[in-house]
Amino acid sequence: MKILVAVKRVVDHNVRIRVRPDGSGVETNGVRMSMNPFCKHAVEAAVQLAEAGQADEVVVVSIGPKPATDVILTALAMGAHRGILIETDAQLETLAIAKLLAKITAEENPGLVLLGKQAVDDDSNHVGQMLAALTGRPQATFASEIKVTGQGLEVSREVDTGRETLSLPLPAIVTADLRLNTPRNAALPQVMKARSKPLATRPAADFGVDLAPRLVVEKISPPPERVAGKSVGTVAELAAFIAADISQMEAL
Amino acid sequence: MSVLVLADHDQGVLSPATARIVHAVAELGTVDILLAGENIAAPAQSASTLAGVAKVLTAEGLFVADSLEMLLSTLTVRYHYVVASAGSVGKDVLPRLAAKLDLMPVTDVTAILGPNRFERPIYAGNALQTVASNQPKHLLTLRASAFRAAATGNAAPIEAIDTSGVSSAAKLIASHRTQSETPDLATAQIVVGGGIAVGSAEGFQLIESLAKKLNAAVGATRAAVDAGYAPNDWQVGQTGKIIAPDLYIAIGISGALQHLAGIQGAKKIVAINTDPEAPLVKLADIALIGDLFQVIPQLIAELDKIGLKR
Ligand SMILES: Cc1cc2nc3c(=O)[nH]c(=O)nc-3n(C[C@H](O)[C@H](O)[C@H](O)COP(=O)(O)OP(=O)(O)OC[C@H]3O[C@@H](n4cnc5c(N)ncnc54)[C@H](O)[C@@H]3O)c2cc1C
């Protein structure tokens, strides 16, 4: 089975972001960028399936500007076999991203496409679901366990009310949650080796997909700030605060 | 304008989120509710009592994302808005439906600013994005916790719809539901949250006993969930539930930004932590520096002494 994994380059999840004062966006100049954490879990899952002999090729694809090559290299260092960068400097909406991925999916024809469940920049949580619709494939989102079973997959997923397990015929689309695995950190030799693995770059414009945004982003603003409170010294004071707050709440 | 709301329900109970979604979209037009799934008679009845609801549609059967998308796409032609809560079902199906209809959805909406203008958080809630959409239809998920609930007292008609021809390639083969008598986390007025410092599943019983005292829901950090101290559906944060209680009591929680993303809507925050430098301590309305294992039993005793009842 071939596995296609989509990875996104985002502001590193440990960076506290700053909204530009003019409301035009979030400052990304000089900010550390890295692979979206959920995508890392997707790559790890694909590599583990390959290591277990359940997949023979892991192809990673990223859509973004030239520097997105870095996150492809990270995935290759983790054990993916081949990379594709669909290059664009535009900020694409999730629908356009899904359409480009659908094109690559048609070309590569993987048995499984793995993606992160959401990107920590736009927090959309769309792309896997959209790709599933565009390719007419079944989906399992928020996966915390993936088992290959003959012709299909059994995927445990995290839902609001607990957990559930889906059985999916292949080809299928699965999005990774954090509990799926612990992504490896590639050692230096793997990082060096990644540079010699095949990596194709193709302009997004070549795919014949309408990439124009559908939504108008009017502004980006910082959330309302919280004012810090005070410390109390005793449990009795804390209890009094809680009781007062609750009685005020109930009076409303 | 007409609105279709996909209701959340589980084990024969309508989710409290649905009343909030209905209230949030009532100004956009006449609201119909769709209840799809098994065991829907009682939740359909509850949905029909919500103010602003014109009609409740029921689709009996076991649906997963692909069949739910199929069902919705047959109904969607009649509506200008298709709306769900930003819970696991809404997140699963709305983007799928949107792509099918060649529409860009707007998800995790925290404010409806007009018929086609919406606000949504990005970067784990560290920025807010205002978007306008000129598309012919709007597919939205809303964060229930950001809106108030619709009143009850209505008696909208309930109408079963034809689901023949709806099928799915994926099959649900097992489900594990967390049984809990505490209120719904996503919409609770008070939430007591525990972090990794709680130390064990037994330790969480201490958190639960405080929650019971306050008639509060129980939340947990990802670290506590990953350690197996709490079930995953208690997780609060960027990748867990987004809550907006009147009071959040954070116990042994550092306040990592992914956790803060889930509690930004909390009106008051109380922090109990051994570390005065913890980000959540600095942000809280009231903080008590102390060991949770000593503080919680004392706190329960003090609340008893005051005679607090909820
Ligand atoms: C992509 C991504 C998504 C994430 N999503 C989420 C999410 O949705 N929700 C979430 O919560 N996290 C999430 N995380 C994890 C997050 O970054 C933090 O690791 C996590 O929130 C920390 O949990 P914690 O506060 O329980 O643990 P810690 O950060 O270890 O904090 C423990 C706290 O307990 C205090 N303490 C220790 N002993 C005691 C005691 N006896 N009494 C009182 N206090 C004590 C300590 O002083 C400390 O402040 C995510 C991380 C990533 C990378």
Side-chain angles (χ1 to χ4, degrees):
Chain A
M1 175 170 72
K2 186 198 277 189
I3 303 179
L4 182 69
V5 189
V7 298
K8 185 176 187 184
R9 177 179 180 262
V10 297
V11 170
D12 187 90
H13 69 272
N14 291 312
V15 171
R16 187 164 275 284
I17 57 110
R18 230 165 29 82
V19 174
R20 290 198 202 108
D22 66 358
S24 65
V26 165
E27 193 53 73
T28 50
N29 276 334
V31 170
R32 180 153 44 99
M33 307 290 283
S34 59
M35 192 193 298
N36 178 45
F38 298 93
C39 301
K40 253 191 167 160
H41 292 264
V43 173
E44 178 64 35
V47 170
Q48 284 184 12
L49 287 169
E51 286 170 345
Q54 289 169 323
D56 28 50
E57 193 186 20
V58 176
V59 181
V60 285
V61 54
S62 188
I63 300 169
K66 196 88 206 164
T69 308
D70 290 354
V71 297
I72 299 178
L73 286 172
T74 304
L76 294 175
M78 288 171 73
H81 300 98
R82 176 158 69 81
I84 303 167
L85 173 65
I86 301 182
E87 194 181 345
T88 173
D89 288 327
Q91 287 276 359
L92 298 186
E93 285 176 351
T94 50
L95 184 60
I97 297 282
K99 286 181 177 178
L100 288 169
L101 291 177
K103 291 278 184 186
I104 288 287
T105 304
E107 281 181 20
E108 296 281 343
N109 197 24
L112 171 63
V113 186
L114 272 164
L115 308 91
K117 75 164 180 180
Q118 81 191 64
V120 296
D121 50 1
D122 59 35
D123 276 334
S124 285
N125 199 328
H126 293 166
V127 176
Q129 297 88 315
M130 289 179 156
L131 178 62
L134 296 174
T135 56
R137 296 179 176 200
Q139 73 188 45
T141 49
F142 331 135
S144 53
E145 202 186 333
I146 303 171
K147 271 195 275 189
V148 179
T149 56
Q151 292 309 299
L153 300 176
E154 270 181 32
V155 181
S156 295
R157 53 193 299 266
E158 299 179 358
V159 294
D160 287 345
T161 45
R163 268 181 312 118
E164 59 185 40
T165 308
L166 294 176
S167 116
L168 307 177
L170 295 171
I173 312 287
V174 174
T175 74
D177 212 326
L178 298 172
R179 217 156 304 135
L180 183 56
N181 51 45
T182 309
R184 68 195 70 193
N185 275 320
L188 194 60
Q190 272 81 47
V191 175
M192 301 307 291
K193 219 169 92 190
R195 301 207 164 267
S196 59
K197 291 186 177 178
L199 200 170
T201 298
R202 300 167 59 183
D206 284 6
F207 287 85
V209 169
D210 172 16
L211 301 174
R214 304 290 181 81
L215 304 175
V216 184
V217 178
E218 292 182 351
K219 65 168 184 195
I220 309 281
S221 50
E225 220 165 301
R226 286 198 97 88
V227 265
K230 55 169 190 169
S231 276
V232 289
T234 67
V235 177
E237 283 174 82
L238 182 65
F241 174 85
I242 291 173
D245 194 60
I246 289 174
S247 62
Q248 191 190 1
M249 189 165 99
E250 280 172 351
L252 289 179
Chain B
M1 297 290 212
S2 53
V3 187
L4 181 65
V5 170
L6 175 65
D8 282 321
H9 63 98
D10 189 48
Q11 296 177 359
V13 180
L14 185 71
S15 161
T18 302
R20 293 173 179 239
I21 305 302
V22 167
H23 190 240
V25 298
E27 274 183 24
L28 297 173
T30 29
V31 179
D32 289 352
I33 295 190
L34 171 65
L35 265 142
E38 294 185 305
N39 222 341
I40 52 176
Q45 190 56 47
S46 313
S48 75
T49 67
L50 296 174
V53 173
K55 194 161 56 178
V56 177
L57 306 172
T58 57
E60 181 86 38
L62 194 56
F63 295 96
V64 295
D66 47 336
S67 48
L68 199 49
E69 174 225 296
M70 207 185 267
L71 176 67
L72 280 166
S73 52
T74 62
L75 292 174
T76 303
V77 274
R78 294 192 253 140
Y79 296 93
H80 298 100
Y81 297 87
V82 180
V83 187
S85 85
S88 42
V89 175
K91 282 178 177 163
D92 206 23
V93 75
L94 248 281
R96 186 171 173 122
L97 177 66
K100 185 61 161 272
L101 302 174
D102 196 26
L103 295 168
M104 180 64 199
V106 185
T107 53
D108 260 316
V109 170
T110 46
I112 297 177
L113 307 172
N116 69 338
R117 289 178 68 239
F118 311 98
E119 186 179 88
R120 61 181 301 272
I122 55 174
Y123 287 94
N126 290 302
L128 297 170
Q129 186 185 50
T130 304
V131 296
S133 165
N134 300 315
Q135 300 176 105
K137 272 185 208 301
H138 304 291
L139 268 55
L140 313 172
T141 66
L142 310 189
R143 279 198 183 166
S145 57
F147 302 95
R148 298 168 64 116
T152 53
N154 191 5
I158 301 174
E159 198 179 284
I161 57 172
D162 180 18
T163 59
S164 57
V166 174
S167 65
S168 65
K171 299 273 178 278
L172 180 66
I173 54 172
S175 66
H176 311 271
R177 298 288 183 248
T178 307
Q179 298 292 347
S180 171
E181 277 146 39
T182 50
D184 174 60
L185 176 58
T187 53
Q189 260 193 318
I190 307 179
V191 175
V192 182
I196 189 79
V198 175
S200 63
E202 295 72 55
F204 258 87
Q205 287 170 9
L206 194 61
I207 303 290
E208 283 177 79
S209 58
L210 177 60
K212 202 166 258 164
K213 175 98 224 136
L214 300 171
N215 188 24
V218 184
T221 64
R222 164 160 188 248
V225 171
D226 281 355
Y229 305 163
N232 72 274
D233 46 307
W234 286 3
Q235 183 180 311
V236 170
Q238 183 184 20
T239 58
K241 295 204 169 115
I242 308 288
I243 61 172
D246 291 320
L247 178 62
Y248 183 57
I249 304 180
I251 301 170
I253 295 178
S254 63
L257 58 91
Q258 292 90 359
H259 188 75
L260 298 181
I263 62 167
Q264 264 155 353
K267 287 206 187 71
K268 291 266 170 63
I269 298 175
V270 169
I272 299 167
N273 200 306
T274 45
D275 178 8
E277 298 301 317
L280 200 48
V281 168
K282 302 215 148 148
L283 202 105
D285 297 276
I286 289 284
L288 179 67
I289 304 308
D291 185 330
L292 71 97
F293 296 102
Q294 286 160 13
V295 172
I296 306 302
Q298 287 176 20
L299 181 59
I300 293 173
E302 285 289 342
L303 291 169
D304 276 336
K305 216 157 83 187
I306 302 174
L308 184 103
K309 275 217 170 53
R310 250 175 74 80

